[in-house]
Amino acid sequence: LVGSEMCIRDRYSVATEYRVRHNNGDIVHVMGNVKLIESDGELLLQRYLLDYTDKKKEEVRKERRQRDLIQALSEDYLLVCSFSLDTKAGEALRVSGDRLRKLDELFAGELNLDRCLGGYINEAVVDEDQAMLRDALSAESLITRLTDESRIHVNYRINHGDATEYCQATVVRGGDWPQAHNVVLGLRSVDVQTREEMKKKALLEEALTQANKANAAKSAFLSNMSHDIRTPMNAIVCMTDLAAQQADDPAKVRECLSEVSHSSHHLLDLINDILD
């Protein structure tokens, strides 16, 4: 009775979740609520039953999707964390113990998005990429971009010992977006892939340079060949016309024919060189 009076005074109610099996064999998720009230001096129990099977399935689907995202990132990522962009609080799901990268030090304890990423950027990222990465991974920027995109990739470089390493940050929005701005953040090395792509690009650029040089040489060759062929051809045509006009002057005709012969031999040598 004392407990009942306290329940009435505090408007006590109890909610519980359970499952029932429908006549057709389906499982139905039920949310039951019992509330103790006073009416006309009597204690009454109000009971409500709510079928929330669809909502439960949606929750399960979101949870499964979130687990799949985390699992997918965990395979080759050095760091995987979940963060709330609203509170900045997070949880480390996978952290590499690589001493040079210091991820286990920078993402230890209770995680905070600004503190963890700020420390990582200041400690590891090369100076030229710090401002870009800080802006790209800020909560405000992520919320804006993830409104239209489900996944974001940002490439950057870190100081890995005495060398520079190419890395990539991947941010995936949670299944409860946009009601809650929860994300999964992954950091991984893409050094091998990036350097291979750079090597291929360099080879393609070199091939293009060589092709351009060959094309320029071909154009110069054609231009010079055209000029060199036209010169003796013009002499042959002109001398032939002149000889025809001077048919009554044997000395002039012989002079013209001599020039035609000289130009003809020169033209033949040019053609032989071109064919070679």
Side-chain angles (χ1 to χ4, degrees):
L1 180 60
V2 173
S4 299
E5 291 175 351
M6 292 176 62
C7 290
I8 296 171
R9 183 175 63 252
D10 298 334
R11 297 181 180 178
Y12 182 79
S13 65
V14 176
T16 185
E17 173 188 340
Y18 59 94
R19 295 170 296 170
V20 298
R21 187 178 298 278
H22 197 274
N23 292 335
N24 61 9
D26 294 341
I27 299 298
V28 179
H29 292 266
V30 177
M31 176 65 72
N33 181 277
V34 179
K35 184 176 182 181
L36 185 63
I37 64 172
E38 182 181 13
S39 177
D40 297 330
E42 293 183 326
L43 295 178
L44 301 175
L45 288 176
Q46 281 188 341
R47 184 183 182 191
Y48 300 94
L49 298 178
L50 174 65
D51 180 354
Y52 81 121
T53 303
D54 292 340
K55 183 178 179 181
K56 184 66 177 179
K57 289 181 178 179
E58 179 65 16
E59 292 176 357
V60 171
R61 186 189 66 80
K62 289 180 179 179
E63 291 176 359
R64 185 181 297 112
R65 181 175 182 272
Q66 190 77 350
R67 288 196 303 268
D68 291 343
L69 291 174
I70 294 172
Q71 178 63 31
L73 288 179
S74 298
E75 292 177 358
D76 62 346
Y77 280 72
L78 299 168
L79 171 79
V80 180
C81 296
S82 62
F83 282 101
S84 167
L85 300 181
D86 300 318
T87 66
K88 309 295 180 67
E91 175 186 5
L93 306 173
R94 175 191 176 99
V95 183
S96 169
D98 190 312
R99 180 179 58 82
L100 291 175
R101 295 186 178 92
K102 300 181 180 179
L103 293 175
D104 53 347
E105 300 177 14
L106 297 170
F107 290 84
E110 294 184 3
L111 303 190
N112 175 274
L113 180 67
D114 295 335
R115 176 179 58 80
C116 293
L117 285 180
Y120 174 70
I121 292 173
N122 292 333
E123 288 280 339
V125 179
V126 299
D127 294 342
E128 295 82 359
D129 293 351
Q130 288 187 4
M132 176 276 298
L133 188 62
R134 190 176 290 110
D135 178 68
L137 297 183
S138 67
E140 296 77 11
S141 176
L142 290 176
I143 291 175
T144 299
R145 291 190 60 183
L146 288 172
T147 299
D148 300 320
E149 306 173 55
S150 61
R151 180 182 295 243
I152 295 173
H153 299 289
V154 183
N155 292 337
Y156 61 97
R157 295 165 295 170
I158 66 171
N159 297 309
H160 194 193
D162 297 330
T164 298
E165 181 180 16
Y166 291 89
C167 294
Q168 183 180 80
T170 300
V171 184
V172 183
R173 68 187 182 194
D176 50 359
W177 195 282
Q179 287 75 20
H181 298 131
N182 296 322
V183 298
V184 177
L185 166 68
L187 303 179
R188 67 170 177 167
S189 173
V190 291
D191 195 71
V192 175
Q193 303 94 308
T194 302
R195 294 189 185 278
E196 287 180 352
E197 290 175 1
M198 293 172 63
K199 184 178 180 179
K200 291 179 181 178
K201 183 179 180 181
L203 291 175
L204 289 174
E205 290 177 348
E206 177 64 21
L208 179 61
T209 300
Q210 294 297 331
N212 288 335
K213 288 181 178 179
N215 188 60
K218 180 190 70 174
S219 298
F221 171 76
L222 292 174
S223 176
N224 293 334
M225 179 186 69
S226 175
H227 175 269
D228 290 347
I229 290 177
R230 285 192 178 97
T231 300
M233 279 297 298
N234 287 333
I236 292 172
V237 172
C238 290
M239 289 298 102
T240 302
D241 291 343
L242 184 60
Q245 296 173 6
Q246 304 292 332
D248 54 348
D249 188 347
K252 192 66 175 178
V253 170
R254 284 193 299 271
E255 181 182 349
C256 291
L257 292 178
S258 176
E259 184 63 31
V260 168
S261 177
H262 174 74
S263 296
S264 298
H265 284 90
H266 178 52
L267 179 59
L268 180 61
D269 290 338
L270 284 175
I271 294 175
N272 287 331
D273 289 342
I274 291 171
L275 291 177
D276 289 340

